[in-house]
Amino acid sequence: MKVHNSVISFILLGSGKLFDTSSSFSPVVNSGSSQFRESHTSIYSQNPSESVFLDSESAKACIEKADGTPLYAYSVSKLNQNADACLSFPNAFGLTVRYAMKACPNGAILKLFNKKGIHIDASSGFEVRRAISVGIPPENISLSTQELPTDFASLVDLGVKINACSISQLESLGKQFSGNGLKVGVRVNPGVGSGGFSSSTTGFSKTNVGGPSSSFGIWHTLVEDGTVGNIVEKYGLEVERIHTHIGSGSDPDIWQQVATRSLSFCKIFPSVTSLNLGGGYKVGRNPGEPTTDLQEIGKPVAEAFKSFAAENGRELKLEIEPGTYLVAMAGALVSTIQDKVHTTGDSGHTFLKLDAGMTDVLRPSLYGAIHPITILPGSGKSEDVGADTESVVVVGHCCESGDLMTPQAGEPEALGERELRRAEIGDIAIMDGSGAYCAGMSTKNYNSFPEAPEVLLDDEGDIHLIRARQPMEQIWQNELIPDSLK
Protein backbone atom coordinates (compact mmCIF):
# COMPACT_ATOMS: atom_id res chain seq x y z
CA MET A 1 0.00 0.00 0.00
CA LYS A 2 1.38 3.40 -1.00
CA VAL A 3 1.10 6.58 1.04
CA HIS A 4 0.60 9.82 -0.90
CA ASN A 5 3.83 11.63 -1.81
CA SER A 6 3.01 14.56 0.46
CA VAL A 7 2.97 12.16 3.38
CA ILE A 8 6.43 10.87 2.54
CA SER A 9 7.91 14.33 2.39
CA PHE A 10 6.50 14.99 5.85
CA ILE A 11 8.03 11.84 7.24
CA LEU A 12 11.44 12.74 5.87
CA LEU A 13 11.34 16.39 6.86
CA GLY A 14 9.42 15.88 10.07
CA SER A 15 11.80 13.27 11.40
CA GLY A 16 14.47 15.91 11.74
CA LYS A 17 12.29 18.77 12.90
CA LEU A 18 10.00 17.09 15.36
CA PHE A 19 12.47 14.79 17.07
CA ASP A 20 15.31 17.19 17.69
CA THR A 21 13.21 19.20 20.10
CA SER A 22 13.54 21.41 22.97
CA SER A 23 14.99 23.57 25.13
CA SER A 24 15.43 24.46 28.71
CA PHE A 25 17.32 21.56 30.27
CA SER A 26 21.04 21.11 29.85
CA PRO A 27 22.60 19.23 28.24
CA VAL A 28 19.88 18.78 25.63
CA VAL A 29 19.48 18.76 21.88
CA ASN A 30 20.81 21.91 20.28
CA SER A 31 18.26 22.92 17.68
CA GLY A 32 20.41 25.75 16.42
CA SER A 33 18.02 28.61 17.12
CA SER A 34 15.34 29.71 19.53
CA GLN A 35 13.07 30.30 16.56
CA PHE A 36 13.16 26.60 15.77
CA ARG A 37 12.26 25.69 19.36
CA GLU A 38 9.32 28.11 19.39
CA SER A 39 8.12 26.75 16.06
CA HIS A 40 8.22 23.20 17.38
CA THR A 41 6.24 24.07 20.48
CA SER A 42 3.61 25.95 18.49
CA ILE A 43 3.05 22.92 16.27
CA TYR A 44 1.71 21.05 19.27
CA SER A 45 -0.04 23.91 21.02
CA GLN A 46 -2.03 24.90 17.93
CA ASN A 47 -3.40 21.38 17.41
CA PRO A 48 -1.45 20.32 14.33
CA SER A 49 -3.10 18.72 11.33
CA GLU A 50 -0.36 16.09 11.44
CA SER A 51 1.21 14.14 14.27
CA VAL A 52 4.95 13.51 14.48
CA PHE A 53 4.97 11.33 11.36
CA LEU A 54 1.33 10.69 10.47
CA ASP A 55 -1.25 12.90 8.76
CA SER A 56 -4.88 12.12 8.03
CA GLU A 57 -4.15 10.17 4.85
CA SER A 58 -1.26 8.08 6.19
CA ALA A 59 -3.13 7.33 9.42
CA LYS A 60 -6.12 6.11 7.39
CA ALA A 61 -3.81 3.98 5.25
CA CYS A 62 -2.33 2.38 8.37
CA ILE A 63 -5.83 1.61 9.63
CA GLU A 64 -6.72 -0.05 6.35
CA LYS A 65 -3.52 -2.12 6.39
CA ALA A 66 -4.17 -3.29 9.95
CA ASP A 67 -7.88 -3.86 9.23
CA GLY A 68 -9.05 -1.44 11.90
CA THR A 69 -7.93 0.18 15.12
CA PRO A 70 -6.24 0.20 17.52
CA LEU A 71 -2.78 -0.31 16.04
CA TYR A 72 0.81 0.74 16.53
CA ALA A 73 2.62 2.48 13.65
CA TYR A 74 6.39 2.91 13.34
CA SER A 75 8.45 5.07 10.99
CA VAL A 76 11.53 3.53 9.34
CA SER A 77 12.86 7.02 8.66
CA LYS A 78 12.81 7.96 12.32
CA LEU A 79 14.15 4.59 13.48
CA ASN A 80 17.11 5.01 11.16
CA GLN A 81 17.68 8.60 12.23
CA ASN A 82 17.68 7.65 15.91
CA ALA A 83 19.98 4.69 15.25
CA ASP A 84 22.46 6.93 13.45
CA ALA A 85 22.46 9.37 16.38
CA CYS A 86 23.30 6.56 18.82
CA LEU A 87 25.97 5.08 16.55
CA SER A 88 27.63 8.52 16.54
CA PHE A 89 27.92 8.61 20.34
CA PRO A 90 31.35 10.05 21.25
CA ASN A 91 33.87 7.40 22.26
CA ALA A 92 37.59 7.11 22.71
CA PHE A 93 38.47 3.53 21.77
CA GLY A 94 35.43 1.89 20.20
CA LEU A 95 31.67 1.76 20.67
CA THR A 96 29.00 -0.95 20.80
CA VAL A 97 25.39 0.21 20.77
CA ARG A 98 22.94 -2.30 22.23
CA TYR A 99 19.21 -1.86 21.72
CA ALA A 100 17.28 -2.41 24.95
CA MET A 101 14.79 -4.67 23.21
CA LYS A 102 12.28 -4.59 26.09
CA ALA A 103 11.34 -1.12 24.80
CA CYS A 104 9.75 -2.61 21.67
CA PRO A 105 10.65 -6.23 20.91
CA ASN A 106 8.99 -6.71 17.52
CA GLY A 107 11.19 -8.85 15.30
CA ALA A 108 11.07 -6.43 12.37
CA ILE A 109 12.52 -3.66 14.55
CA LEU A 110 15.19 -6.01 15.92
CA LYS A 111 16.15 -6.89 12.34
CA LEU A 112 16.25 -3.24 11.28
CA PHE A 113 18.65 -2.34 14.09
CA ASN A 114 20.72 -5.47 13.47
CA LYS A 115 21.26 -4.35 9.88
CA LYS A 116 22.47 -1.00 11.22
CA GLY A 117 25.13 -2.79 13.29
CA ILE A 118 23.32 -2.38 16.60
CA HIS A 119 23.55 -5.26 19.08
CA ILE A 120 20.96 -6.38 21.64
CA ASP A 121 20.48 -5.81 25.37
CA ALA A 122 18.10 -8.49 26.67
CA SER A 123 16.37 -8.45 30.05
CA SER A 124 15.28 -12.09 30.27
CA GLY A 125 16.20 -15.45 28.88
CA PHE A 126 12.96 -15.34 26.90
CA GLU A 127 14.04 -12.10 25.21
CA VAL A 128 17.33 -13.78 24.29
CA ARG A 129 15.49 -16.68 22.63
CA ARG A 130 13.13 -14.25 20.91
CA ALA A 131 16.02 -12.28 19.43
CA ILE A 132 17.81 -15.43 18.29
CA SER A 133 14.59 -16.66 16.63
CA VAL A 134 14.61 -13.72 14.19
CA GLY A 135 18.27 -14.16 13.32
CA ILE A 136 20.16 -12.01 15.82
CA PRO A 137 23.60 -13.63 16.31
CA PRO A 138 23.88 -14.91 19.91
CA GLU A 139 27.31 -13.32 20.27
CA ASN A 140 25.64 -9.93 19.67
CA ILE A 141 23.31 -10.38 22.64
CA SER A 142 24.04 -9.27 26.21
CA LEU A 143 21.78 -10.45 29.04
CA SER A 144 21.27 -8.39 32.21
CA THR A 145 18.36 -9.83 34.14
CA GLN A 146 16.55 -9.78 37.46
CA GLU A 147 15.93 -13.53 37.03
CA LEU A 148 18.78 -15.70 35.79
CA PRO A 149 17.17 -18.21 33.40
CA THR A 150 17.41 -21.88 34.27
CA ASP A 151 19.01 -22.54 30.87
CA PHE A 152 21.71 -19.88 31.29
CA ALA A 153 24.46 -22.40 30.63
CA SER A 154 23.11 -23.20 27.17
CA LEU A 155 22.88 -19.47 26.40
CA VAL A 156 26.53 -19.03 27.37
CA ASP A 157 27.45 -21.98 25.16
CA LEU A 158 25.69 -20.24 22.25
CA GLY A 159 27.85 -17.16 22.78
CA VAL A 160 25.44 -14.92 24.70
CA LYS A 161 27.20 -12.53 27.10
CA ILE A 162 25.78 -12.55 30.63
CA ASN A 163 26.18 -9.80 33.21
CA ALA A 164 25.89 -11.01 36.81
CA CYS A 165 23.32 -8.73 38.42
CA SER A 166 23.57 -10.14 41.96
CA ILE A 167 25.99 -12.10 44.12
CA SER A 168 23.87 -15.25 43.73
CA GLN A 169 23.93 -14.91 39.93
CA LEU A 170 27.72 -14.59 40.02
CA GLU A 171 27.90 -17.67 42.23
CA SER A 172 25.66 -19.62 39.84
CA LEU A 173 27.83 -18.71 36.87
CA GLY A 174 30.93 -19.64 38.84
CA LYS A 175 29.63 -23.04 39.95
CA GLN A 176 28.48 -23.94 36.44
CA PHE A 177 31.71 -22.92 34.73
CA SER A 178 34.24 -23.38 37.54
CA GLY A 179 37.80 -23.46 36.28
CA ASN A 180 36.81 -22.70 32.67
CA GLY A 181 37.95 -19.09 32.69
CA LEU A 182 34.45 -17.90 31.74
CA LYS A 183 34.38 -14.24 30.76
CA VAL A 184 31.57 -12.49 32.62
CA GLY A 185 30.14 -9.04 33.12
CA VAL A 186 29.29 -7.51 36.48
CA ARG A 187 26.40 -5.10 36.84
CA VAL A 188 27.09 -2.62 39.62
CA ASN A 189 24.58 -0.51 41.53
CA PRO A 190 26.71 2.66 41.87
CA GLY A 191 24.76 4.00 44.85
CA VAL A 192 22.69 6.61 43.04
CA GLY A 193 19.94 6.53 40.44
CA SER A 194 17.95 8.90 38.29
CA GLY A 195 14.52 8.45 36.71
CA GLY A 196 12.23 10.69 34.70
CA PHE A 197 9.37 10.64 37.21
CA SER A 198 11.44 11.37 40.33
CA SER A 199 14.06 13.95 41.26
CA SER A 200 15.48 11.76 44.03
CA THR A 201 18.78 9.96 43.43
CA THR A 202 18.38 7.61 46.41
CA GLY A 203 14.62 7.20 46.97
CA PHE A 204 12.28 4.70 45.33
CA SER A 205 10.90 5.51 41.90
CA LYS A 206 9.34 3.29 39.25
CA THR A 207 11.86 4.62 36.73
CA ASN A 208 14.92 4.69 39.00
CA VAL A 209 17.13 1.58 38.97
CA GLY A 210 20.10 2.78 41.01
CA GLY A 211 20.69 3.72 44.63
CA PRO A 212 19.81 2.08 47.95
CA SER A 213 16.10 1.81 47.07
CA SER A 214 16.80 -0.27 43.96
CA SER A 215 17.35 -4.03 43.75
CA PHE A 216 19.13 -3.82 40.40
CA GLY A 217 22.81 -4.77 40.25
CA ILE A 218 25.44 -5.67 42.82
CA TRP A 219 25.77 -3.01 45.52
CA HIS A 220 28.95 -1.04 44.89
CA THR A 221 30.55 -1.73 48.27
CA LEU A 222 30.58 -5.46 47.47
CA VAL A 223 32.74 -4.63 44.48
CA GLU A 224 34.96 -2.25 46.39
CA ASP A 225 35.51 -4.50 49.45
CA GLY A 226 36.66 -7.51 47.44
CA THR A 227 33.54 -9.68 47.81
CA VAL A 228 33.03 -9.89 44.05
CA GLY A 229 36.73 -10.34 43.44
CA ASN A 230 36.90 -13.26 45.86
CA ILE A 231 34.07 -15.07 44.05
CA VAL A 232 35.73 -14.41 40.70
CA GLU A 233 39.01 -15.84 41.97
CA LYS A 234 37.30 -18.81 43.66
CA TYR A 235 35.77 -20.05 40.41
CA GLY A 236 38.44 -18.88 37.99
CA LEU A 237 36.16 -16.39 36.26
CA GLU A 238 37.35 -13.40 34.25
CA VAL A 239 35.55 -10.07 34.53
CA GLU A 240 35.68 -8.48 31.09
CA ARG A 241 32.74 -6.06 31.39
CA ILE A 242 31.48 -3.62 34.00
CA HIS A 243 27.87 -2.55 33.60
CA THR A 244 25.92 0.28 35.25
CA HIS A 245 22.45 1.66 34.55
CA ILE A 246 20.72 4.21 36.76
CA GLY A 247 17.23 4.71 35.34
CA SER A 248 14.91 5.69 32.53
CA GLY A 249 14.70 9.36 31.57
CA SER A 250 17.71 10.08 33.76
CA ASP A 251 19.22 13.48 34.43
CA PRO A 252 22.15 13.84 31.99
CA ASP A 253 24.33 15.52 34.63
CA ILE A 254 23.84 12.60 37.04
CA TRP A 255 24.38 10.13 34.19
CA GLN A 256 27.74 11.76 33.42
CA GLN A 257 28.79 11.62 37.06
CA VAL A 258 27.91 7.92 37.31
CA ALA A 259 29.69 7.24 34.02
CA THR A 260 32.89 8.73 35.38
CA ARG A 261 32.56 6.90 38.67
CA SER A 262 31.98 3.60 36.88
CA LEU A 263 35.55 3.75 35.61
CA SER A 264 36.70 3.25 39.20
CA PHE A 265 35.04 -0.18 39.18
CA CYS A 266 36.93 -1.03 35.99
CA LYS A 267 40.20 -0.20 37.76
CA ILE A 268 39.54 -2.96 40.32
CA PHE A 269 39.61 -5.68 37.66
CA PRO A 270 42.64 -5.56 35.32
CA SER A 271 40.88 -7.96 32.92
CA VAL A 272 38.07 -5.50 32.09
CA THR A 273 38.03 -4.47 28.44
CA SER A 274 34.69 -2.63 28.16
CA LEU A 275 32.40 -0.45 30.25
CA ASN A 276 28.66 -0.54 29.61
CA LEU A 277 26.94 2.64 30.81
CA GLY A 278 23.37 1.52 30.10
CA GLY A 279 20.84 3.89 28.61
CA GLY A 280 17.93 5.87 29.98
CA TYR A 281 18.49 8.93 27.80
CA LYS A 282 15.57 11.29 28.17
CA VAL A 283 13.35 11.93 25.17
CA GLY A 284 11.08 14.97 25.02
CA ARG A 285 7.67 13.73 23.96
CA ASN A 286 5.90 17.04 24.65
CA PRO A 287 6.61 20.75 24.16
CA GLY A 288 9.08 22.12 26.68
CA GLU A 289 10.43 18.67 27.53
CA PRO A 290 14.15 18.11 26.96
CA THR A 291 15.77 15.52 24.75
CA THR A 292 19.26 14.51 25.80
CA ASP A 293 22.00 15.62 23.43
CA LEU A 294 24.12 12.48 23.04
CA GLN A 295 27.05 14.45 21.68
CA GLU A 296 26.97 16.81 24.64
CA ILE A 297 26.89 14.12 27.33
CA GLY A 298 29.24 11.80 25.46
CA LYS A 299 32.23 14.08 24.95
CA PRO A 300 33.22 14.36 28.64
CA VAL A 301 32.82 10.59 29.00
CA ALA A 302 35.13 10.00 26.04
CA GLU A 303 37.70 12.25 27.67
CA ALA A 304 37.35 10.30 30.92
CA PHE A 305 38.07 7.07 29.03
CA LYS A 306 41.22 8.68 27.61
CA SER A 307 42.35 9.74 31.07
CA PHE A 308 41.72 6.22 32.36
CA ALA A 309 43.87 4.82 29.54
CA ALA A 310 46.68 7.23 30.31
CA GLU A 311 46.64 6.34 34.01
CA ASN A 312 46.07 2.59 33.73
CA GLY A 313 47.43 1.56 30.36
CA ARG A 314 44.08 0.14 29.19
CA GLU A 315 41.94 1.41 26.35
CA LEU A 316 38.39 0.49 27.33
CA LYS A 317 35.62 0.14 24.79
CA LEU A 318 32.30 1.85 25.50
CA GLU A 319 28.88 0.20 25.38
CA ILE A 320 25.53 1.99 25.62
CA GLU A 321 22.02 0.54 25.80
CA PRO A 322 19.40 2.98 24.45
CA GLY A 323 15.79 1.87 24.26
CA THR A 324 13.48 4.87 24.57
CA TYR A 325 15.89 7.06 22.59
CA LEU A 326 15.76 4.70 19.63
CA VAL A 327 12.04 4.02 19.38
CA ALA A 328 9.86 6.33 21.51
CA MET A 329 9.17 9.05 18.95
CA ALA A 330 9.37 6.61 16.05
CA GLY A 331 6.11 4.99 17.12
CA ALA A 332 2.49 6.05 17.61
CA LEU A 333 -0.73 4.47 18.79
CA VAL A 334 -3.52 4.95 16.25
CA SER A 335 -7.01 4.61 17.69
CA THR A 336 -10.62 5.57 17.04
CA ILE A 337 -12.83 7.75 19.24
CA GLN A 338 -15.65 5.30 19.86
CA ASP A 339 -17.71 7.38 22.30
CA LYS A 340 -18.03 10.87 23.74
CA VAL A 341 -19.81 11.59 27.04
CA HIS A 342 -20.36 14.61 29.26
CA THR A 343 -20.81 15.24 32.96
CA THR A 344 -21.99 18.55 34.42
CA GLY A 345 -21.39 20.68 37.49
CA ASP A 346 -18.24 22.22 38.89
CA SER A 347 -16.39 18.91 38.48
CA GLY A 348 -17.91 18.05 35.10
CA HIS A 349 -15.88 16.97 32.07
CA THR A 350 -16.17 16.01 28.46
CA PHE A 351 -14.71 12.53 27.98
CA LEU A 352 -13.37 11.07 24.76
CA LYS A 353 -13.41 7.27 24.88
CA LEU A 354 -10.89 5.50 22.68
CA ASP A 355 -11.06 1.97 21.33
CA ALA A 356 -7.65 1.56 22.96
CA GLY A 357 -6.32 2.23 26.45
CA MET A 358 -4.14 0.73 29.13
CA THR A 359 -4.31 -2.47 27.10
CA ASP A 360 -2.09 -0.68 24.58
CA VAL A 361 -0.37 2.26 26.32
CA LEU A 362 0.08 1.62 30.02
CA ARG A 363 2.48 4.49 30.77
CA PRO A 364 -0.16 7.11 31.69
CA SER A 365 -1.90 4.73 34.14
CA LEU A 366 1.38 3.44 35.56
CA TYR A 367 3.51 6.59 35.78
CA GLY A 368 1.22 9.51 35.03
CA ALA A 369 3.13 9.84 31.76
CA ILE A 370 2.00 12.49 29.29
CA HIS A 371 1.74 11.66 25.59
CA PRO A 372 0.91 14.19 22.86
CA ILE A 373 -2.46 13.44 21.25
CA THR A 374 -3.59 14.61 17.81
CA ILE A 375 -7.21 14.39 16.64
CA LEU A 376 -7.68 13.70 12.92
CA PRO A 377 -10.91 13.34 10.92
CA GLY A 378 -12.35 9.86 10.54
CA SER A 379 -12.62 10.48 6.81
CA GLY A 380 -8.84 10.34 6.50
CA LYS A 381 -8.82 13.58 4.50
CA SER A 382 -6.63 16.51 5.52
CA GLU A 383 -9.15 19.00 4.14
CA ASP A 384 -11.62 17.81 6.79
CA VAL A 385 -9.36 18.80 9.70
CA GLY A 386 -11.29 21.32 11.74
CA ALA A 387 -10.11 24.38 13.64
CA ASP A 388 -12.39 24.29 16.70
CA THR A 389 -10.95 22.96 19.96
CA GLU A 390 -12.38 21.75 23.25
CA SER A 391 -11.12 20.80 26.68
CA VAL A 392 -11.44 17.04 27.20
CA VAL A 393 -10.33 14.11 29.30
CA VAL A 394 -9.24 11.14 27.19
CA VAL A 395 -9.89 7.67 28.60
CA GLY A 396 -9.45 4.10 27.47
CA HIS A 397 -11.91 1.33 26.75
CA CYS A 398 -11.30 -0.84 29.81
CA CYS A 399 -13.80 -1.30 32.63
CA GLU A 400 -11.19 0.20 34.94
CA SER A 401 -11.28 3.68 36.47
CA GLY A 402 -7.51 3.89 36.13
CA ASP A 403 -7.64 3.55 32.34
CA LEU A 404 -6.78 7.21 31.89
CA MET A 405 -4.88 8.52 28.85
CA THR A 406 -4.63 12.14 30.03
CA PRO A 407 -3.57 12.14 33.68
CA GLN A 408 -1.96 15.08 35.35
CA ALA A 409 1.80 14.89 34.89
CA GLY A 410 3.27 12.31 37.24
CA GLU A 411 -0.13 11.71 38.88
CA PRO A 412 -1.71 8.57 37.38
CA GLU A 413 -4.84 8.90 39.54
CA ALA A 414 -5.55 12.57 38.77
CA LEU A 415 -7.64 13.61 35.76
CA GLY A 416 -5.91 15.97 33.39
CA GLU A 417 -7.86 17.98 30.82
CA ARG A 418 -6.32 18.51 27.40
CA GLU A 419 -7.18 21.18 24.84
CA LEU A 420 -7.62 19.18 21.64
CA ARG A 421 -9.29 19.62 18.29
CA ARG A 422 -13.04 19.14 18.63
CA ALA A 423 -13.73 15.46 18.03
CA GLU A 424 -16.69 13.43 16.89
CA ILE A 425 -17.34 9.73 17.32
CA GLY A 426 -15.42 7.94 14.56
CA ASP A 427 -12.54 10.41 14.43
CA ILE A 428 -8.93 9.23 14.70
CA ALA A 429 -6.75 9.85 17.75
CA ILE A 430 -2.95 9.60 17.39
CA MET A 431 -0.96 9.17 20.57
CA ASP A 432 2.66 9.97 19.73
CA GLY A 433 5.69 8.86 21.70
CA SER A 434 4.28 5.33 21.85
CA GLY A 435 7.19 3.50 20.28
CA ALA A 436 8.81 2.63 23.61
CA TYR A 437 7.31 0.64 26.49
CA CYS A 438 3.86 0.51 24.93
CA ALA A 439 3.41 -2.51 22.64
CA GLY A 440 6.06 -4.30 24.70
CA MET A 441 4.55 -3.34 28.07
CA SER A 442 0.83 -3.52 27.33
CA THR A 443 -1.82 -5.14 29.50
CA LYS A 444 -3.20 -6.96 26.49
CA ASN A 445 -6.12 -9.32 27.09
CA TYR A 446 -7.45 -7.37 30.07
CA ASN A 447 -11.24 -7.36 29.57
CA SER A 448 -10.31 -9.94 26.88
CA PHE A 449 -9.27 -7.25 24.41
CA PRO A 450 -6.93 -8.78 21.80
CA GLU A 451 -3.34 -7.70 21.23
CA ALA A 452 -3.21 -4.81 18.74
CA PRO A 453 -1.40 -5.13 15.39
CA GLU A 454 1.73 -3.24 14.39
CA VAL A 455 2.60 -1.65 11.05
CA LEU A 456 5.83 -0.21 9.66
CA LEU A 457 6.01 2.79 7.31
CA ASP A 458 9.08 2.54 5.09
CA ASP A 459 10.96 5.25 3.22
CA GLU A 460 9.18 4.48 -0.04
CA GLY A 461 5.77 5.01 1.50
CA ASP A 462 4.86 1.34 1.72
CA ILE A 463 3.06 0.16 4.85
CA HIS A 464 3.95 -3.30 6.12
CA LEU A 465 2.01 -5.36 8.64
CA ILE A 466 4.64 -6.56 11.12
CA ARG A 467 2.23 -8.09 13.63
CA ALA A 468 -1.31 -9.22 12.92
CA ARG A 469 -4.17 -8.54 15.28
CA GLN A 470 -4.47 -11.36 17.78
CA PRO A 471 -7.28 -13.79 16.92
CA MET A 472 -9.90 -13.79 19.65
CA GLU A 473 -9.67 -17.54 20.18
CA GLN A 474 -5.95 -17.22 20.96
CA ILE A 475 -6.80 -15.32 24.15
CA TRP A 476 -8.17 -18.44 25.81
CA GLN A 477 -6.55 -21.20 23.78
CA ASN A 478 -4.31 -22.33 26.68
CA GLU A 479 -7.18 -22.62 29.17
CA LEU A 480 -8.30 -26.10 30.27
CA ILE A 481 -11.66 -27.13 31.73
CA PRO A 482 -11.65 -29.94 34.33
CA ASP A 483 -13.86 -32.91 33.45
CA SER A 484 -16.03 -32.19 36.51
CA LEU A 485 -17.07 -28.84 35.01
CA LYS A 486 -17.80 -30.06 31.50
Side-chain angles (χ1 to χ4, degrees):
M1 181 179 296
K2 285 282 186 182
V3 179
H4 191 274
N5 288 337
S6 64
V7 176
I8 301 307
S9 65
F10 176 77
I11 292 173
L12 295 175
L13 295 173
S15 62
K17 181 171 66 174
L18 292 178
F19 183 74
D20 292 343
T21 61
S22 46
S23 68
S24 59
F25 185 65
S26 180
V28 297
V29 165
N30 180 4
S31 64
S33 73
S34 58
Q35 181 180 4
F36 178 92
R37 291 192 292 272
E38 291 169 359
S39 172
H40 169 76
T41 301
S42 67
I43 287 174
Y44 280 112
S45 62
Q46 292 178 6
N47 278 301
S49 58
E50 300 171 324
S51 73
V52 170
F53 63 90
L54 292 170
D55 66 2
S56 299
E57 285 74 17
S58 58
K60 191 71 170 181
C62 288
I63 293 170
E64 292 173 356
K65 187 68 176 181
D67 193 23
T69 57
L71 65 95
Y72 304 94
Y74 306 97
S75 163
V76 167
S77 176
K78 290 186 67 60
L79 291 169
N80 280 324
Q81 177 195 357
N82 300 342
D84 290 341
C86 291
L87 290 166
S88 299
F89 196 96
N91 64 90
F93 308 111
L95 171 71
T96 297
V97 177
R98 297 188 181 278
Y99 170 51
M101 65 175 284
K102 62 183 177 180
C104 189
N106 186 286
I109 291 176
L110 299 185
K111 294 283 282 187
L112 184 152
F113 288 144
N114 182 61
K115 287 186 176 182
K116 298 285 289 186
I118 292 176
H119 293 196
I120 293 296
D121 159 47
S123 296
S124 72
F126 298 104
E127 283 193 347
V128 171
R129 296 292 183 181
R130 185 173 185 173
I132 292 174
S133 74
V134 295
I136 306 300
E139 61 272 20
N140 287 1
I141 302 173
S142 173
L143 173 63
S144 301
T145 179
Q146 285 283 79
E147 178 185 351
L148 191 67
T150 56
D151 64 344
F152 72 86
S154 65
L155 299 181
V156 171
D157 290 339
L158 288 173
V160 175
K161 298 173 175 62
I162 296 183
N163 296 319
C165 297
S166 70
I167 292 296
S168 68
Q169 287 189 16
L170 187 61
E171 285 275 1
S172 295
L173 287 165
K175 290 175 182 178
Q176 180 67 36
F177 295 98
S178 181
N180 291 348
L182 177 69
K183 294 182 178 180
V184 299
V186 173
R187 176 169 177 172
V188 183
N189 182 331
V192 296
S194 177
F197 297 96
S198 172
S199 59
S200 173
T201 60
T202 57
F204 173 75
S205 166
K206 292 178 180 178
T207 54
N208 186 329
V209 293
S213 298
S214 172
S215 66
F216 291 82
I218 297 175
W219 188 243
H220 63 96
T221 60
L222 297 175
V223 177
E224 295 160 340
D225 69 8
T227 299
V228 170
N230 290 339
I231 297 173
V232 167
E233 183 178 1
K234 175 182 176 181
Y235 295 109
L237 303 175
E238 181 179 328
V239 179
E240 69 168 355
R241 302 178 305 280
I242 293 294
H243 180 287
T244 58
H245 177 57
I246 60 172
S248 179
S250 54
D251 183 327
D253 289 332
I254 298 173
W255 187 90
Q256 285 180 317
Q257 294 167 18
V258 172
T260 302
R261 187 181 180 201
S262 297
L263 288 167
S264 68
F265 305 131
C266 298
K267 186 180 295 188
I268 295 172
F269 302 99
S271 54
V272 168
T273 59
S274 63
L275 172 58
N276 187 318
L277 295 174
Y281 313 118
K282 186 171 181 60
V283 170
R285 288 177 168 87
N286 299 283
E289 292 181 353
T291 292
T292 303
D293 184 335
L294 301 187
Q295 292 295 312
E296 186 74 17
I297 68 168
K299 289 176 182 176
V301 174
E303 291 302 315
F305 273 57
K306 292 177 183 178
S307 297
F308 180 92
E311 296 171 6
N312 299 277
R314 279 187 286 157
E315 295 182 349
L316 301 181
K317 294 182 179 179
L318 170 66
E319 294 190 4
I320 58 173
E321 294 175 345
T324 295
Y325 196 96
L326 282 167
V327 295
M329 297 304 287
L333 176 71
V334 182
S335 63
T336 298
I337 296 167
Q338 49 90 7
D339 207 349
K340 184 175 184 178
V341 301
H342 308 271
T343 57
T344 60
D346 293 339
S347 300
H349 300 281
T350 295
F351 295 90
L352 299 183
K353 296 184 180 181
L354 307 182
D355 66 352
M358 62 189 293
T359 45
D360 312 284
V361 177
L362 182 61
R363 298 180 73 253
S365 298
L366 185 63
Y367 305 128
I370 305 298
H371 285 255
I373 297 175
T374 303
I375 304 298
L376 300 176
S379 66
K381 298 178 181 179
S382 293
E383 59 264 30
D384 292 337
V385 173
D388 294 340
T389 64
E390 60 184 340
S391 183
V392 297
V393 175
V394 183
V395 298
H397 56 179
C398 291
C399 186
E400 175 67 48
S401 59
D403 193 5
L404 176 63
M405 296 291 98
T406 55
Q408 292 182 21
E411 299 289 342
E413 296 187 7
L415 296 182
E417 290 202 340
R418 196 82 64 87
E419 188 73 19
L420 299 177
R421 181 173 292 105
R422 185 175 298 279
E424 303 298 336
I425 294 174
D427 281 347
I428 300 167
I430 309 293
M431 182 175 286
D432 282 313
S434 299
Y437 301 99
C438 292
M441 198 174 71
S442 68
T443 58
K444 63 182 182 183
N445 298 165
Y446 183 54
N447 289 172
S448 294
F449 285 112
E451 183 177 40
E454 294 174 285
V455 302
L456 186 69
L457 285 73
D458 70 22
D459 289 337
E460 285 69 46
D462 291 315
I463 301 174
H464 306 270
L465 186 67
I466 60 173
R467 184 174 69 194
R469 193 178 307 280
Q470 183 183 30
M472 182 174 61
E473 295 78 10
Q474 195 179 87
I475 298 174
W476 59 78
Q477 70 178 11
N478 294 328
E479 296 177 4
L480 302 173
I481 306 297
D483 289 341
S484 62
L485 296 178
K486 291 181 180 178

